[in-house]
Amino acid sequence: MSTLTQNPPTAGEKVLDFNEFMAHLKERNPGQPEFHQAVHEVAESVIPFINENPKYRRYKILERIVEPDRTILFRVTWQDDNSEVQINKGYRVQYSNAIGPYKGGLRFHPSVHLDTFKFLGFEQVFKNSLTTLPMGAGKGGSDFDPKGKSDDEVMRFCQAYMTELVRHIGKDTDVPAGDIGVGAREISYLYGQHKRLTNRFTGVLTGKSLEFGGSLIRTEATGYGAVYFAEEMLKNQGKSIQGKQCVVSGSGNVAQYTVEKILHLGGKPVTLSDSSGFIYDKDGITQEKLDWVKDLKNVRRGRISEYADKFGAEFIPGKTPWSIPGECVFPSATQNELNEEDARMLVKNGCICVSEGANMPSTPEAVKVFIQSKVLFGPGKAANAGGVAISGLEMTQNSMRLSWSREEVETKLKQIMTSIHDQCSKHAREADGYLNYVKGANIAGFIKVADAMIAYGVM
Ligand code: NDP
Ligand code: 2IT
């Protein structure tokens, strides 16, 4: 046995100090506040655990996990409909392949920087570990803004983006998927270009359409999974979503299928949002209204304010929906969309459960309010893992060259969300009995990756 793995700690052995660790991280990664925020939350949970299990410290696992295996930056040049040359930045952060090929989405949004992809890739390490499937972690994308672009422009951009990305990905190397601004249309263009360049039909992307290797339930998986996770947390307290008012943000892929599963389970969703504001439908969003939203957002690519005109609901411009009372809350748009003041208001108005469909939507101060108020709080890396989990099952189906039925995949999704809940619970209990799922998810996600890294030796 390596001397590094021997327990217990030797007398006088140094422990890992949280403040020193964070100071060092910030010094080495300046100007990356979202990355710092994501690491801070994990380090806070994991450092006490590392100090109880010195092999993780001796192997410098946390110090290594925060450093991506590889960061790829490139130029994407394409021509718009007026033949004008456009230049965008392309990114792929290959974070960790300790437990499987790099795996994670692509985000196309004008606000992104390397910081964005490092925070998302880092979160993905722990999320993918929790899914129980063999997937490492990566994240990428571009500052390209699909909003207001024609289909032809989106196609030319995707082809140019893939022309560079192709050399870095592969079904056993790195398997990208969708995220903000990357849905079925973009994945199709990206996949088509990959196939053209390589002359290979492989499972190199997930979230594909059903005609060319996609999995049933992948489109629904993130939203459905976030609601299943909420239901698991509630079940633990003898409660359920049935009859509860639910506040949802966003109106994209995750928000749409969150609303759909809330409806299946008898809850009452009353809000949706986009970057222009939110709608409040006090009568509740029904399946019929939701189908209209899917067409609005996925086909006509319109604004959520149109819902208010169509169904006589309220539209509140420039605001997030956190002023609306709801026992269950599903932040499903973007990072840091819910702050301390919002959290206080939600708790005051009777919120008992938060399940994060988005990645890091609650600020650290908001998370603190939820935890201090003993709200059931499912952090994104656990609550929204259903999406990447079904991506993992899409990879499996592609390798086997067959397709599972809807029922089969949805049953597996439910089982995976229950298993994620159970893994988190194992490490979540505080002295007063409260289940702190932030701590639970971070420690449970860490262990599998860390043990694999130790097994490989120092590299
Ligand atoms: P979509 O692009 O389908 O939808 C994004 C939604 O969020 C839109 O309503 C959009 O409004 C809104 N939004 C995006 N950026 C901002 C912003 N800066 N300020 C306000 N609103 C914003 O993306 P998804 O639904 O796929 O992703 C939503 C979240 O879920 C993200 O955090 C993503 O990382 C996370 N996630 C997604 C998974 C997936 O499988 N798709 C899996 C796990 C997590 P507008 O149209 O006006 O920009
Ligand atoms: O944040 C995420 O987990 C995703 N955007 C989905 C990634 C995937 O590979 O399906």
Side-chain angles (χ1 to χ4, degrees), residues 113-372:
H113 297 284
L114 180 58
D115 181 26
T116 323
F117 298 114
K118 283 184 68 182
F119 117 65
L120 288 164
F122 180 74
E123 290 282 288
Q124 204 83 41
V125 174
F126 302 86
K127 183 194 306 192
N128 293 4
S129 165
L130 287 170
T131 64
T132 70
L133 302 171
M135 293 184 291
K139 201 85 189 191
S142 173
D143 61 356
F144 173 76
D145 186 0
K147 256 193 228 108
K149 303 286 191 302
S150 69
D151 284 353
D152 285 351
E153 289 176 321
V154 171
M155 178 187 74
R156 286 195 292 274
F157 172 79
C158 288
Q159 290 178 345
Y161 180 85
M162 182 53 81
T163 300
E164 171 61 31
L165 193 69
V166 65
R167 73 189 76 221
H168 306 292
I169 63 175
K171 69 179 175 58
D172 300 317
T173 315
D174 183 354
V175 183
D179 193 81
I180 291 176
V182 179
R185 174 182 60 171
E186 290 75 17
I187 292 291
S188 302
Y189 290 145
L190 291 163
Y191 189 73
Q193 180 71 351
H194 187 276
K195 186 169 63 59
R196 170 158 78 174
L197 294 171
T198 60
N199 196 26
R200 283 190 179 177
F201 192 98
T202 67
V204 68
L205 295 173
T206 62
K208 300 186 292 299
S209 296
L210 299 178
E211 309 79 45
F212 49 91
S215 173
L216 286 158
I217 302 290
R218 174 62 191 91
T219 308
E220 295 89 338
T222 310
Y224 279 18
V227 181
Y228 286 141
F229 195 84
E231 191 74 345
E232 281 297 319
M233 294 193 292
L234 288 163
K235 197 168 84 187
N236 215 34
Q237 295 196 342
K239 298 175 183 154
S240 85
I241 285 176
Q242 170 83 35
K244 297 207 168 39
Q245 179 148 311
C246 300
V247 175
V248 181
S249 67
S251 49
N253 172 267
V254 179
Q256 290 167 19
Y257 290 96
T258 293
V259 166
E260 188 158 287
K261 189 48 72 178
I262 291 169
L263 290 171
H264 292 169
L265 299 182
K268 183 184 176 191
V270 292
T271 62
L272 282 170
S273 72
D274 62 20
S275 54
S276 312
F278 77 93
I279 59 103
Y280 171 44
D281 186 342
K282 63 177 182 354
D283 299 329
I285 302 165
T286 58
Q287 184 68 49
E288 196 186 344
K289 293 172 181 174
L290 175 63
D291 290 342
W292 183 88
V293 171
K294 287 182 190 171
D295 183 65
L296 172 78
K297 285 291 172 181
N298 310 343
V299 182
R300 289 185 285 129
R301 301 186 190 272
R303 308 304 298 160
I304 200 63
S305 56
E306 294 173 44
Y307 181 105
D309 303 333
K310 171 82 183 167
F311 298 112
E314 275 180 68
F315 173 67
I316 298 88
K319 299 267 189 245
T320 45
W322 316 127
S323 57
I324 304 300
E327 288 161 284
C328 299
V329 172
F330 297 89
S332 312
T334 194
Q335 65 270 19
N336 293 327
E337 57 166 319
L338 193 166
N339 65 26
E340 179 176 2
E341 199 186 320
D342 300 325
R344 288 196 194 288
M345 180 125 62
L346 285 166
V347 171
K348 190 173 126 239
N349 287 338
C351 161
I352 57 164
C353 173
V354 178
S355 187
E356 292 189 325
N359 285 307
M360 211 167 75
S362 311
T363 65
E365 297 76 23
V367 176
K368 215 165 266 169
V369 170
F370 290 133
I371 289 178
Q372 279 165 0

Side-chain angles (χ1 to χ4, degrees), residues 413-427:
L413 171 64
K414 253 188 250 173
Q415 286 165 348
I416 289 172
M417 296 316 295
T418 304
S419 152
I420 294 173
H421 177 268
D422 294 348
Q423 290 175 70
C424 294
S425 302
K426 224 164 120 185
H427 298 277

